[in-house]
């Protein structure tokens, strides 16, 4: 009986929506992405987006914030930053994290539901950087050191 219960529980964990989501790859069209930022302003991914930055853990986000803040507004042109905060408790998000993000000089698109960003590729402990061209993914980069981001953005 215990073995069957364990097997059923394991199956349920494997059948989460994220398990069915296929990661985007080079050449794929970026699906519509609509998220609100730290000011609850809605955003949708547009054809003018050249870079999509995706952070799915706190350490990467914390390291990325000063790097993005150090970029000039023209350098941030065409760059969209998405942070997955779906695992953060709602109370912590509402009282501490989001108010702190309001101090940042750039928009942070907040994925409060993991299903909204399940298709985005990721590697543990790394920032995902998607180079976009005409609504399609031209390149996928994973940065362990986010300090390399300005050089990557300038290279294209």
């Amino acid at each position: 009986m215990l073995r069957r219960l364990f097997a059923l529980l394991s199956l349920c964990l494997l059948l989460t929506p994220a398990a069915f989501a296929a990661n985007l790859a080079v050449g794929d069209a970026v699906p519509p992405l609509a998220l609100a930022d730290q000011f609850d302003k809605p955003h949708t991914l547009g054809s003018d987006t050249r870079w999509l930055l995706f952070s799915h853990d706190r350490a990467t986000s914390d390291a990325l914030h000063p790097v993005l803040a150090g970029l000039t507004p023209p350098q941030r042109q065409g760059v969209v930053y998405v942070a997955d905060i779906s695992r953060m408790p709602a109370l912590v998000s509402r009282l501490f994290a989001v108010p702190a993000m309001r101090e940042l000089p750039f928009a942070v698109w907040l994925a409060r539901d993991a299903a909204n960003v399940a298709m985005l590729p990721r590697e543990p402990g790394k920032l995902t950087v998607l180079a976009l061209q005409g609504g399609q993914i031209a390149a996928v980069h994973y940065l362990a050191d986010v300090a390399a981001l300005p050089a990557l953005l300038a290279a294209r």
Side-chain angles (χ1 to χ4, degrees):
M1 177 71 178
L2 189 57
R3 189 175 280 171
R4 285 184 185 170
L5 181 61
F6 180 73
L8 180 62
L9 184 59
S10 297
L11 182 63
C12 288
L13 290 174
L14 290 174
L15 297 179
T16 62
F20 288 118
N23 282 344
L24 296 173
V26 173
D28 290 345
V30 180
L33 184 62
L35 298 169
D37 66 15
Q38 69 268 41
F39 298 102
D40 290 325
K41 180 181 174 191
H43 295 275
T44 55
L45 207 56
S47 60
D48 59 337
T49 303
R50 295 177 316 165
W51 298 96
L52 176 63
L53 312 179
F54 175 58
S55 172
H56 56 91
D57 63 51
R58 181 177 175 175
T60 303
S61 289
D62 288 347
L64 180 62
H65 291 173
V67 172
L68 282 177
L71 297 177
T72 64
Q75 289 173 310
R76 286 195 301 261
Q77 188 73 27
V79 176
V80 169
Y81 168 40
V82 176
D84 183 357
I85 63 168
S86 62
R87 292 180 292 163
M88 186 181 299
L91 187 63
V92 172
S93 159
R94 187 172 45 251
L95 293 179
F96 302 105
V98 174
M101 288 180 200
R102 290 184 183 129
E103 302 296 320
L104 297 172
F106 51 85
V108 180
W109 296 20
L110 302 174
R112 297 175 190 269
D113 183 353
N116 291 336
V117 291
M119 78 300 237
L120 295 177
R122 66 198 76 200
E123 286 186 4
K126 295 181 181 177
L127 175 70
T128 300
V129 181
L130 301 178
L132 306 179
Q133 193 169 34
Q136 290 189 316
I137 298 174
V140 179
H141 306 275
Y142 300 101
L143 299 181
D145 180 12
V146 297
L149 180 65
L152 179 63
L153 297 178
R156 274 193 114 197

